Amino acid sequence: MHHEATLISTIAIGFVLAFTFGYLADRMRLPPLVGYLFAGVLMGPYTPGFVADTGLSAQLAEIGVILLMFGVGLHFSTSDLLAVRGIAIPGAIGQIVLATLLGMGMCWVWGWSLGTGLVVGLSLSVASTVVLLKALEERNLVNTPNGRVAVGWLIVEDLAMVLALVLLPAFAEVLGGKPVESHGAGVAQMPLALEIAVTLAKVAAFAALAILLGPKVVPWILARVARTGSRELFTLSVLAIALGIAYGSAHIFGVSFALGAFFAGVVLSESSFSHKAAADSLPLQDAFSVLFFVSVGMLFDPTILLRKPDAVLAVLALIVVGKSVIAFGIIMLLRFPVGTGLMVSASLAQIGEFSFILIALGISTGLVPGEGRDLVVAGALFSIMLNPLVFALVSELQNRLRAARPAGAAFFGQPQYEALSHELDRIRARSEERSKAHDLKLHSLLEQFPVLSLVERQDQEALLLMFRPKSAAPGERVIRTGDRADGMYFISSGAVEVMVNGRSIRLDAGAYFGEMALLSGERRTADVIAVDFCQFLVLDRRDFNQFMSRHPAVRAAVAAIAEERREMNLALPPETETEAKGP
């Protein structure tokens, strides 16, 4: 096959094999991701047959991680993060420290150095957000208090790993490794304390820009795009924002792609476009997240099971049992319920994307041998495969605990759990109120102006954005004869008089005017004067032409009303007054 087709072959064969083995896994009552992982093993360099481009697959998988984290951010606001900070921050930091020490002890038993143990321990201490989200989504647990805690916990872990990725090259030589090229002349000369300060300043600057500037700029951009009425342009803008912020955050502020995409979603979550953005990006999220699991399978070297079976079991035990026990103990110390401890423990019983980044950095610094990478990848592969089983066991334990507790009896950690649930419910209620107010505004618009209900449901949001509000006092001339047609006016409150050929026609709330000149391309042929305090929704000429071209049914209805009005104007005798309450 020609090298130019590497991208096509990697995507095509990856999707075909993932679909095939994902379907077989589902038929065998296994999670589909087991099939995705097996497809990756078959495509990897350690098995015969087709060998995909590992580097290219990793980049495609990174796109999946970016889109998935962007989707999480869309449904996980800044308020949610602040609500779970009391458990997520101390819990994640404590778990990373203890799990890393446990990994260092395991490496010491194998005779590996302190530096090797540190890198391997860190790699095993951090869980995969992608795997967690898949597990929570399958069980409809993302929006539960325990699900929010688990996601917040892993976000804190990701932030901690950003700092670890900066510090590791700086300490590489001290730990017995070699300096990384990127930490050469320019950066290596920087004092360690200053380097840490610069890194923290960059992360803080990124967070400040995302939280303070993002909610103003991003919705403004999407509002302008949505006004075009182009679905493909809106979808493209969502992808451009997600990938653009992710790329910029990594190359300017040193934040990971996934974390940058998450904050991009958080920025957008407060706007009225979040649901549409989530719906538009969901198919791509699902498709590219499959490539993440395929890429994990491609890294796996099956011979490690023959060379070091005991080491593989030890790594797997640390991930599935050791980390879970540590997390459970920390949550009990923080006096949260057993159910929360079990949920977070199951969430942490796997490793993923950050583990591969850390172990790759460890190899580049000379701290970790190739065997260490094989063990970490093996641990990732089998822990991801076992994670659905872990969640099933946790669910069963939670059901038994609930059944064993007397009805109405208080449970351990109830005050903390209820306080957290109340805070999350308050945040969710505020978000739902904002969404309901937006929906009510749209519903009122369609109810007041029935002709607009002919617009397709997915385009009604864009219609709302096209309107420009305008008001008029009694006696004020809204339209003058001979003026150039500037827009179509919808009367949301008040009333106007249309003066045409010496005749007076009254239009009340729910009616519209100004469409005749727009449709004919001629100048205004009537004066329109407000007879009450009026509020209008104006569809400017450019938006009118664009909107009508995209919705021929609305154009036909408006044209029919315009023709009726023209005939009525010609038929009326002079010096008469009629009243119209709308089309």
Side-chain angles (χ1 to χ4, degrees), residues 92-431:
I93 294 174
Q95 181 264 320
I96 288 173
V97 171
L98 294 176
T100 300
L101 291 174
L102 195 60
M104 292 172 67
M106 181 180 64
C107 292
W108 178 77
V109 172
W110 294 340
W112 289 356
S113 68
L114 175 67
T116 304
L118 177 63
V119 177
V120 172
L122 282 172
S123 300
L124 300 180
S125 70
V126 58
S128 168
T129 312
V130 178
V131 177
L132 168 64
L133 291 172
K134 286 293 183 184
L136 294 179
E137 286 172 355
E138 287 176 2
R139 293 160 181 80
N140 199 27
L141 296 174
V142 175
N143 292 318
T144 63
N146 289 340
R148 292 299 198 192
V149 169
V151 173
W153 187 300
L154 263 65
I155 294 301
V156 175
E157 282 193 351
D158 289 349
L159 286 169
M161 288 305 108
V162 170
L163 184 60
L165 290 172
V166 173
L167 294 179
L168 188 59
F171 281 103
E173 288 185 273
V174 177
L175 295 171
K178 58 184 180 180
V180 185
E181 291 183 5
S182 61
H183 282 67
V187 182
Q189 302 302 322
M190 185 184 295
L192 181 60
L194 181 58
E195 186 173 355
I196 296 174
V198 169
T199 300
L200 293 176
K202 285 183 176 180
V203 174
F206 170 72
L209 284 174
I211 294 173
L212 299 177
L213 190 60
K216 299 177 181 178
V217 175
V218 174
W220 181 85
I221 293 173
L222 290 181
R224 296 301 178 275
V225 175
R227 286 188 64 182
T228 66
S230 173
R231 300 178 203 171
E232 64 272 14
L233 194 58
F234 185 84
T235 302
L236 183 61
S237 67
V238 171
L239 295 177
I241 288 171
L243 296 174
I245 292 180
Y247 182 83
S249 64
H251 285 266
I252 299 174
F253 299 99
V255 180
S256 69
F257 289 119
L259 208 57
F262 171 77
F263 277 105
V266 169
V267 164
L268 192 54
S269 67
E270 302 297 334
S271 78
S272 58
F273 302 101
S274 58
H275 296 297
K276 182 171 174 57
D280 285 0
S281 60
L282 184 60
L284 287 172
Q285 287 178 32
D286 292 338
F288 279 95
S289 64
V290 167
L291 291 179
F292 166 76
F293 294 105
V294 173
S295 68
V296 173
M298 289 174 60
L299 295 173
F300 179 58
D301 181 4
T303 62
I304 191 66
L305 299 176
L306 302 176
R307 291 185 283 114
K308 293 285 185 178
D310 53 341
V312 172
L313 289 175
V315 168
L316 188 60
L318 190 155
I319 296 170
V320 177
V321 180
K323 287 171 58 181
S324 299
V325 171
I326 290 171
F328 185 83
I330 291 174
I331 290 174
M332 292 298 99
L333 289 175
L334 293 173
R335 303 189 64 79
F336 274 83
V338 173
T340 303
L342 291 173
M343 171 67 71
V344 175
S345 297
S347 303
L348 297 174
Q350 40 81 18
I351 60 174
E353 55 272 16
F354 262 110
S355 304
F356 307 138
I357 298 172
L358 280 165
I359 208 69
L361 183 58
I363 290 175
S364 66
T365 56
L367 289 171
V368 179
E371 191 173 87
R373 178 197 59 203
D374 293 339
L375 289 173
V376 169
V377 173
L381 184 74
F382 288 109
S383 65
I384 291 173
M385 292 175 65
L386 291 174
N387 199 240
L389 177 61
V390 174
F391 265 96
L393 291 174
V394 163
S395 179
E396 181 63 26
L397 280 174
Q398 289 177 323
N399 291 335
R400 293 191 178 187
L401 288 172
R402 279 193 290 266
R405 187 172 64 241
F411 55 87
F412 177 80
Q414 184 172 356
Q416 288 83 348
Y417 183 82
E418 288 182 347
L420 176 62
S421 298
H422 176 73
E423 178 66 14
L424 291 173
D425 287 342
R426 185 182 65 81
I427 294 169
R428 189 176 298 112
R430 189 172 60 194
S431 176

Side-chain angles (χ1 to χ4, degrees), residues 10-11 13-19 21 32-45 50 52-54 57-58 60-61 287-300 381 384:
T10 300
I11 294 177
I13 297 178
F15 279 144
V16 169
L17 289 179
F19 163 72
F21 290 103
L33 67 85
V34 174
Y36 308 154
L37 292 167
F38 188 71
V41 173
L42 293 181
M43 293 174 61
F50 173 77
D53 187 324
T54 306
S57 298
L60 293 171
F288 279 95
S289 64
V290 167
L291 291 179
F292 166 76
F293 294 105
V294 173
S295 68
V296 173
M298 289 174 60
L299 295 173
F300 179 58
L381 184 74
I384 291 173

